[in-house]
Amino acid sequence: MPVQYKDYYETLGVSRSASEAEIKKAFRNLARKYHPDVARDKKSAEAKFKEINEAYEVLGDPDKRAKYDQLGADWKSGAEFRPPPGWEGFGPGGAFRGAGREGGFEFGGTGFSDFFEQLFGGMGRGRTEGFRFDRNFGGAASGQLGRDIEGDILVTLDEVLNGSLRAVTVRHGHRSETHQVKIPAGVGEGQRLRIAGRGEKGPAGAGDLFLRVRLARHPEFEVRGQDLIHETPVAPWDAVLGSSLRVPSLTGPVSIRIPPGTQNGQKLRVRGRGLPSREGGQGDLIVVITVELPKTVTDSERKLWEQLARQSAFRPGES
């Protein structure tokens, strides 16, 4: 059946010709505004935050954006959507989930819309090794297992840090089942969560449900393994003279010391403030310093800069 088309450019408030930098800036501004940790109405903010993340998941990825743009600019937000002819095999498994094909599955509670799942999700792929063998009967096939079902699940960094329990609904035709899915602390991008026996039913038993983890983008951090990367601007005099600064972390603000002579792009490490791993241990928070210069100066400030230029022995490129 058709699903509702999503205009991701409209969601982020950018034009279809927006640059990567413009898209990233729009996402960060909106994500800061609607992040559930800071919003007053947490329920509506959480829904909006998921929409913003889904839009950036597509538009922030050059390959996904290129595929999405193939739909053209004529689609209208809210219109019923069916994949255009020739898009068979667009996603994993070579079939569109929920596009009127037999065996299609739809998901609820994963953090992604049906539109996203239809174009970029796991789409209920069948099991490639679909037979179970019984050695007591000379290795003869005793029956066929039902298909495995695969989809995507949006996991926040807070869930990676603390773990959570999520209700996920799987719809197939008129049948709908809700499963409690445990998201363990330390789960990572691309890992699959297996819920045994919750796939499609077959003569020899049900297949499994697999949910592939997609980490929700955060307005303050980028994820690299278990480390969190945070960029923070500082004034040139703080970089030269040294200073102290409070920066965000997932468990609350932390104070860091900026040593004298800090360079643009220099990285400062705060140990143990990153993400956990499932094997144990904790990543770090990496603070990347960006030295920002004033775009405009007053007359008195200009005189001070000119005096500094005359008196300073510093010459760029000299050690």
Side-chain angles (χ1 to χ4, degrees):
M1 65 179 181
V3 297
Q4 295 302 105
Y5 173 79
K6 296 286 186 180
D7 188 334
Y8 293 135
Y9 291 99
E10 181 178 326
T11 299
L12 294 184
V14 297
S15 69
R16 297 185 73 90
S17 60
S19 66
E20 290 184 22
E22 290 171 331
I23 289 172
K24 183 176 182 179
K25 182 179 179 180
F27 162 75
R28 294 185 70 175
N29 290 339
L30 289 170
R32 286 192 180 107
K33 179 179 179 181
Y34 291 103
H35 197 283
D37 289 347
V38 299
R40 292 183 178 179
D41 187 345
K42 295 188 180 298
K43 187 173 182 180
S44 62
E46 182 178 357
K48 185 68 175 178
F49 186 72
K50 290 176 180 177
E51 290 180 8
I52 296 165
N53 250 283
E54 180 175 313
Y56 190 58
E57 175 76 19
V58 176
L59 300 187
D61 182 307
D63 292 335
K64 288 192 183 74
R65 183 182 181 183
K67 291 176 180 177
Y68 175 74
D69 285 347
Q70 290 177 19
L71 296 174
D74 296 331
W75 292 96
K76 294 182 179 180
S77 180
E80 286 190 346
F81 170 79
R82 291 182 184 273
W87 272 41
E88 287 77 12
F90 176 89
F96 287 102
R97 185 196 56 72
R101 295 176 178 271
E102 289 187 340
F105 290 86
E106 296 177 355
F107 296 87
T110 63
F112 288 107
S113 69
D114 286 344
F115 177 79
F116 178 91
E117 282 289 350
Q118 184 169 332
L119 297 184
F120 301 104
M123 292 169 286
R125 285 182 286 182
R127 177 187 289 269
T128 57
E129 298 176 358
F131 290 90
R132 179 174 293 165
F133 293 93
D134 187 344
R135 295 184 183 275
N136 294 329
F137 291 90
S142 60
Q144 188 173 12
L145 290 172
R147 290 194 306 162
D148 291 340
I149 304 171
E150 183 173 317
D152 295 295
I153 186 167
L154 188 68
V155 175
T156 66
L157 297 189
D158 184 68
E159 289 177 305
V160 178
L161 185 66
N162 301 305
S164 71
L165 192 65
R166 294 263 293 275
V168 173
T169 301
V170 181
R171 300 183 297 273
H172 182 202
H174 298 292
R175 181 169 60 88
S176 179
E177 296 180 351
T178 299
H179 310 295
Q180 296 298 319
V181 177
K182 181 180 179 181
I183 300 175
V187 71
E189 176 77 24
Q191 292 185 10
R192 296 199 306 169
L193 306 178
R194 176 175 176 262
I195 300 90
R198 298 301 183 182
E200 189 172 1
K201 293 178 173 58
D208 298 330
L209 169 63
F210 290 94
L211 294 173
R212 185 172 55 249
V213 171
R214 298 284 183 86
L215 295 184
R217 309 294 183 96
H218 195 282
E220 302 293 347
F221 310 109
E222 291 185 9
V223 179
R224 294 180 190 170
Q226 271 64 58
D227 291 339
L228 296 176
I229 313 299
H230 172 73
E231 291 187 2
T232 189
V234 300
W237 43 87
D238 287 332
V240 173
L241 303 175
S243 181
S244 62
L245 186 68
R246 286 175 68 80
V247 296
S249 78
L250 289 178
T251 53
V254 294
S255 295
I256 63 171
R257 178 177 174 271
I258 301 174
T262 294
Q263 300 296 302
N264 184 58
Q266 187 168 330
K267 299 175 182 178
L268 306 177
R269 184 180 299 270
V270 184
R271 297 196 178 277
R273 289 294 186 129
L275 298 173
S277 69
R278 299 184 69 175
E279 295 76 25
Q282 192 92 7
D284 299 329
L285 172 64
I286 310 297
V287 180
V288 182
I289 300 297
T290 58
V291 180
E292 289 194 358
L293 300 175
K295 294 182 179 179
T296 60
V297 293
T298 64
D299 290 340
S300 59
E301 288 172 333
R302 179 177 296 277
K303 290 179 181 178
L304 291 173
W305 283 107
E306 291 172 347
Q307 180 181 351
L308 178 63
R310 289 192 300 267
Q311 296 182 357
S312 177
F314 171 71
R315 295 293 180 267
E318 296 181 359
S319 57

